[in-house]
């Protein structure tokens, strides 16, 4: 097992930030998660997890330019750090190892 543990929602958010590479901000992350997973995500839950992932060192963030369309408010863009990438790789390896260990008869119906 890896050194860094992620909850399911944390892993999904981290993966989504990676998918959006360079374009990961609150609404875009929610839209991507909802379209790919078909599950509803609240902005409050997302913001909590983004802060937690940043505190753990898995993400960094920076503000983009202010736009008139957003009333002068700037978007906060998130990026996966080296530690975040390592953690995602570990999570993937763990899951693949578990999937490979399932006897074929279990999944065949």
């Amino acid at each position: 097992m890896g050194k860094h543990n992620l909850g399911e929602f944390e892993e999904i958010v981290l993966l989504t930030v990676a998918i959006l590479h360079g374009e990961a901000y609150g609404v875009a992350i929610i839209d991507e998660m909802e379209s790919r997973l078909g599950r509803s995500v609240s902005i409050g839950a997302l913001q909590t997890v983004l802060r937690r992932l940043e505190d753990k060192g898995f993400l960094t963030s920076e503000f983009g330019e202010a736009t008139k369309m957003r009333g002068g408010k700037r978007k906060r863009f998130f990026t996966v750090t080296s530690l975040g990438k390592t953690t995602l790789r570990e999570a993937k390896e763990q899951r693949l190892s578990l999937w490979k260990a399932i006897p074929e008869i279990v999944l065949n119906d």
Side-chain angles (χ1 to χ4, degrees):
M1 199 153 189
K3 299 180 277 186
H4 312 287
N5 293 317
L6 289 173
E8 178 196 14
F9 191 60
E10 288 178 325
E11 185 176 348
I12 289 170
V13 170
L14 197 53
L15 286 165
T16 305
V17 171
I19 289 167
L20 291 171
H21 185 68
E23 297 297 321
Y25 64 95
V27 173
I29 296 168
I30 287 174
D31 289 347
E32 188 73 19
M33 289 171 66
E34 289 181 349
S35 70
R36 286 186 179 271
L37 304 174
R39 81 188 232 191
S40 175
V41 178
S42 77
I43 190 72
L46 177 65
Q47 288 174 340
T48 298
V49 170
L50 287 169
R51 263 185 255 112
R52 187 180 317 133
L53 291 170
E54 209 168 2
D55 290 345
K56 289 180 176 183
F58 299 149
L59 293 177
T60 58
S61 67
E62 60 183 41
F63 283 105
E65 297 296 318
T67 62
K68 288 181 183 178
M69 196 166 81
R70 293 176 45 87
K73 191 173 179 186
R74 302 183 313 168
K75 294 177 185 174
R76 181 183 289 269
F77 289 91
F78 293 87
T79 306
V80 180
T81 64
S82 292
L83 178 60
K85 292 173 189 177
T86 298
T87 302
L88 283 175
R89 280 189 212 99
E90 288 174 359
K92 179 182 177 182
E93 288 170 13
Q94 288 170 5
R95 289 196 186 359
L96 287 175
S97 173
L98 290 169
W99 275 102
K100 289 176 184 176
I102 298 172
E104 277 190 48
I105 195 166
V106 173
L107 298 177
N108 293 334
D109 284 340

